[in-house]
Amino acid sequence: MSAQLSKTDSEVSSLTPSSPARSSPPRRPVYYVQSPSRDSHDGEKTTNSFHSTPVLSPMDSPPHSHSNSSLGPHSRESSSTRYSASLKPHKQHKTDGSGRKGRKPWKEFDAIEEEGLLDGDIGSHGLSRRCYFLAFIVGFWILFSLFSLILWGASRPQKPTITMKNVIFDQFIVQAGMDFSGVATEMVSMNCTVKLTFRNTATFFGVHVTSTPLDLSFSDLTVATGTISKFYQSRKSQRTVTVMVTGSKIPLYGGGASLSSLNGAPTQPVPLILNFMARSRAYVLGKLVKSKFYKRIECSVVMDPKKMNVPISLKNKCTYQ
């Protein structure tokens, strides 16, 4: 009985080490070793996420991994290092003059050159705008000046015309008297009416008309004066102007010796000279283009005592300058 039990124990003891496949060994814990990263702080997150490598205990190895286990921990470290190095950002290394003499940082040069070209384009574009603006202003003024010159030249031949019609003597009195200084002399008082026609021949502008005083003189002495009121004459139109010419107690001094009178009325015709200057101003293009016309008129008038209050024609008795 004891022999049988001893046999059984020996069989059990002999079978136990020789049959490992029948009973599975206990699983040992797995440890994780994190290798230190050589990367910069910028790639820290990526390196940490890929450097956690499971490492088995020295006494345990995964089944069917004889090749990996034979390499040892150095192979795992080298593979992890190679993998982490592939994830590192590419760093530019400065080369000395002996290594690459002919190579230049063409990318940076192109960027700088492109920026310079852009700046040059902006400057030339602004300059061209200023040139266009100045050219427009100069061209506009040249065209405007040319147009104004054409209008001014076209307006010059269209001069207004003045035609003297007649004169009517209402009164002519010669009497003795004294001047302001008390010198005795012959004095004249007269009153007459002068009629004239003013015509604007222009086709595209009106004129503003004024004149110098109308002077009626005897022996170079002014014996009567009249004025033409300022008026506006539209284009292609005319009007009749009546001017009152009067004089009161005008001293004749030595000129009165040739006058003979009876009861204050002259007994002989008295030669007189009527003269004045008419001024016309045309605003062709507003006040920018103006044309001025001047005409001096001089008429020889004979006052006949027998033709008082009778119109005396001035046709062919006046000169127009």
Side-chain angles (χ1 to χ4, degrees):
M1 186 68 180
S2 61
Q4 187 177 358
L5 289 175
S6 61
K7 185 181 180 179
T8 303
D9 294 334
S10 63
E11 290 178 356
V12 170
S13 61
S14 63
L15 290 174
T16 297
S18 63
S19 60
R22 295 181 183 180
S23 62
S24 60
R27 302 289 292 180
R28 294 182 180 179
V30 179
Y31 299 94
Y32 289 87
V33 178
Q34 184 174 2
S35 62
S37 175
R38 303 178 190 176
D39 298 340
S40 61
H41 295 285
D42 295 339
E44 183 177 356
K45 293 183 179 180
T46 307
T47 305
N48 293 337
S49 61
F50 286 96
H51 280 64
S52 299
T53 305
V55 179
L56 298 177
S57 61
M59 299 301 296
D60 191 12
S61 63
H64 308 288
S65 61
H66 299 286
S67 61
N68 293 336
S69 61
S70 64
L71 294 175
H74 295 287
S75 65
R76 286 193 296 271
E77 182 179 358
S78 62
S79 64
S80 175
T81 304
R82 286 195 301 270
Y83 187 73
S84 63
S86 66
L87 293 178
K88 290 182 180 180
H90 179 68
K91 295 183 180 179
Q92 297 181 353
H93 299 281
K94 296 183 180 179
T95 59
D96 53 356
S98 61
R100 299 177 181 178
K101 294 182 179 179
R103 304 196 64 178
K104 297 180 180 180
W106 58 272
K107 290 185 178 181
E108 296 179 359
F109 178 78
D110 288 346
I112 296 172
E113 184 178 5
E114 185 177 357
E115 291 177 359
L117 291 175
L118 290 176
D119 295 339
D121 292 341
I122 294 174
S124 62
H125 187 62
L127 182 61
S128 63
R129 281 188 176 180
R130 289 193 292 269
C131 291
Y132 289 152
F133 180 74
L134 292 176
F136 172 76
I137 295 297
V138 173
F140 174 78
W141 278 112
I142 291 175
L143 291 177
F144 180 78
S145 301
L146 182 62
F147 178 69
S148 302
L149 185 62
I150 292 173
L151 287 180
W152 181 82
S155 66
R156 295 304 298 171
Q158 303 183 28
K159 298 179 180 180
T161 59
I162 299 175
T163 304
M164 303 300 294
K165 290 296 187 179
N166 54 58
V167 57
I168 301 174
F169 290 96
D170 300 323
Q171 183 184 14
F172 195 95
I173 300 173
V174 179
Q175 60 185 4
M178 290 184 301
D179 61 1
F180 296 102
S181 62
V183 178
T185 182
E186 295 291 333
M187 306 187 75
V188 174
S189 298
M190 65 169 296
N191 184 11
C192 68
T193 303
V194 179
K195 287 186 179 180
L196 58 94
T197 301
F198 184 92
R199 177 176 176 79
N200 182 15
T201 60
T203 57
F204 59 92
F205 60 86
V207 292
H208 299 267
V209 183
T210 58
S211 76
T212 61
L214 279 73
D215 294 334
L216 195 61
S217 59
F218 170 75
S219 297
D220 296 333
L221 294 174
T222 301
V223 295
T225 302
T227 57
I228 297 177
S229 300
K230 182 179 178 180
F231 63 91
Y232 173 79
Q233 192 66 39
S234 60
R235 61 188 181 90
K236 301 290 289 183
S237 62
Q238 68 178 19
R239 72 170 61 190
T240 300
V241 180
T242 302
V243 184
M244 298 295 297
V245 181
T246 61
S248 177
K249 297 180 180 181
I250 305 300
L252 298 177
Y253 300 108
S258 60
L259 288 177
S260 60
S261 62
L262 181 61
N263 298 326
T267 59
Q268 295 177 356
V270 179
L272 301 171
I273 301 297
L274 177 67
N275 65 82
F276 68 97
M277 177 183 285
R279 302 188 183 118
S280 304
R281 179 175 296 179
Y283 297 101
V284 181
L285 189 62
K287 291 187 177 182
L288 298 176
V289 181
K290 298 181 289 187
S291 294
K292 297 178 181 180
F293 306 98
Y294 300 96
K295 183 163 288 189
R296 180 173 290 278
I297 302 170
E298 185 173 323
C299 302
S300 298
V301 183
V302 176
M303 194 283 299
D304 191 349
K306 297 179 182 180
K307 295 181 179 179
M308 298 298 292
N309 298 319
V310 177
I312 300 173
S313 177
L314 296 176
K315 186 178 181 180
N316 299 326
K317 295 181 180 179
C318 298
T319 57
Y320 305 91
Q321 298 177 356

